[in-house]
Amino acid sequence: MKQFLFFLLLAFCSKATLAQQWKLVWSDEFTQPGLPDPSKWDYDIGGNGWGNQEKQVYTRADPKTVSIRNGSLFITAYKTPEGKYHSARLVTRGKADWRYGRIEIRARLPRGRGVWPAIWMLPTDDAYGDWPTSGEIDIMEFVGYNPDSVFTSVHTDAYNHMMGTQKTKGHLLRMNWQDFHVYAIEWLENHIHFKIDGNTVFSFKKEKDEAEVWPFDQPFYLILNLAIGGTWGGQKGIDDSIFPQSLEIDYVRVSQPAAH
C-alpha cells in the first residue's frame, strides 16, 4: 500500500511539474461585451482575395462581423443584399507577438459549404524574406465541405502548399460546430507540437538550422479569421443558405516556459 501511495504521489508531482513549466504571459477571456480590446487586437481589412481567391471583404471594428457577447468572441460572416460576403480578420500584429510558447485557443467552428475559418500565425518581421520563406504556423484550419476534419500545418520555403510539400495533417473531429475544442501549439526551440483537447496530433521537428526548413526562431503574431470560398474553402462552391455563420472563440491564452 505504501509503495502504491509513493508511486501515486510521484505521478502527481510529475504532472504538477509539467503543468508548472508554462507561465501565462498574455490572454483574452472576452468578458467585456462589445468590440474586441483595441490594446490587444487590430484588423486586416479589404477584399483582394488574400492570395487564395477568397470571396469575403474583411471589415474593421464592425459589430456585424466581430463582437463579444456571453463571454465569447464571435467572428461572423454574412452575405449582403448586394451579394458580397463580409467577415473579419483579427490580428495581434503590432500589439503582441511571441517567440516560442504555448498558444491555446478554445473555439467552436462554423458550419456549411464555403466557410474556411483559421487560427494561425505569421512572422512579425519576415526575417528571412516574403512568404513562405519566413514561415507560417496553422494551429487550426477547417473547410466546411469537409465537415468531420480539421487540419494543422506548417509552411516554410522547403515545405509549402505551392510546391505540394507542406507539412500537414488532418484530424477526425466530428460535429465540431456543436462543441468547443481546445486547439493549441507548444512551440520550443527544436519542435512545434500541435494539440487538440490536450492530445498531441502532429509534431514538426527541427531538421537542421537552415531557415528554409526552420524559420521558427523569430517572433510570430496570432490571426483569427473566417474566410469564405477561395482555392481551398471554395472547392465545392458556397452554399448561400448557411449565412450568417460564426467562428466563436471562448478564450486565447499564451504561455511561455517559466524560465523564459
Side-chain angles (χ1 to χ4, degrees):
M1 184 65 177
K2 288 183 178 180
Q3 187 179 31
F4 171 77
L5 290 174
F6 171 77
F7 283 114
L8 185 64
L9 180 61
L10 184 64
F12 175 80
C13 291
S14 297
K15 289 183 178 179
T17 300
L18 184 63
Q20 291 169 4
Q21 69 178 334
W22 299 106
K23 179 182 179 181
L24 186 68
V25 296
W26 189 94
S27 68
D28 199 334
E29 304 293 329
F30 304 114
T31 56
Q32 184 64 42
L35 291 171
D37 184 345
S39 72
K40 296 181 177 181
W41 301 99
D42 201 356
Y43 301 85
D44 283 337
I45 60 173
N48 55 15
W50 299 97
N52 299 300
Q53 301 175 30
E54 298 163 27
K55 302 300 182 182
Q56 78 287 341
V57 175
Y58 287 132
T59 61
R60 177 183 296 277
D62 180 356
K64 291 183 179 180
T65 60
V66 60
S67 63
I68 297 172
R69 59 185 188 273
N70 302 323
S72 288
L73 168 70
F74 290 83
I75 298 176
T76 300
Y78 70 95
K79 189 173 184 180
T80 71
E82 296 75 28
K84 295 183 178 181
Y85 304 99
H86 284 191
S87 186
R89 173 162 151 161
L90 272 67
V91 299
T92 65
R93 184 183 59 245
K95 311 288 184 176
D97 57 12
W98 308 276
R99 178 176 178 259
Y100 310 138
R102 175 180 170 86
I103 293 87
E104 176 182 338
I105 301 94
R106 186 172 185 261
R108 181 159 54 189
L109 304 183
R111 65 183 300 187
R113 183 164 43 86
V115 299
W116 183 4
I119 300 167
W120 54 303
M121 303 184 78
L122 284 175
T124 301
D125 296 320
D126 287 335
Y128 301 110
D130 294 337
W131 190 95
T133 307
S134 290
E136 174 182 324
I137 304 171
D138 297 325
I139 300 172
M140 188 289 305
E141 284 187 279
F142 170 73
V143 288
Y145 69 82
N146 193 359
D148 292 337
S149 298
V150 297
F151 298 84
T152 56
S153 311
V154 298
H155 299 279
T156 73
D157 192 41
Y159 303 125
N160 64 81
H161 72 271
M162 300 300 289
M163 300 193 303
T165 57
Q166 74 273 18
K167 297 292 185 177
T168 187
K169 189 173 182 181
H171 318 282
L172 187 66
L173 200 64
R174 292 192 174 96
M175 309 293 281
N176 50 50
W177 60 85
Q178 290 189 348
D179 301 311
F180 282 95
H181 294 278
V182 177
Y183 305 97
I185 59 167
E186 292 182 356
W187 167 28
L188 294 175
E189 186 176 355
N190 294 309
H191 68 257
I192 304 173
H193 294 321
F194 293 78
K195 294 177 174 283
I196 299 177
D197 296 330
N199 300 309
T200 301
V201 295
F202 173 54
S203 293
F204 181 71
K205 297 183 179 179
K206 183 179 182 180
E207 299 171 355
K208 53 184 179 178
D209 288 331
E210 282 77 0
E212 65 177 6
V213 299
W214 186 263
F216 305 113
D217 58 355
Q218 58 180 315
F220 277 61
Y221 65 92
L222 182 65
I223 306 168
L224 309 174
N225 72 280
L226 174 50
I228 302 299
T231 52
W232 189 16
Q235 283 186 11
K236 304 292 183 179
I238 301 171
D239 180 2
D240 286 337
S241 71
I242 66 174
F243 294 103
Q245 286 291 319
S246 296
L247 169 63
E248 183 179 356
I249 309 290
D250 180 34
Y251 62 73
V252 178
R253 296 171 185 164
V254 180
S255 302
Q256 291 187 317
H260 189 83

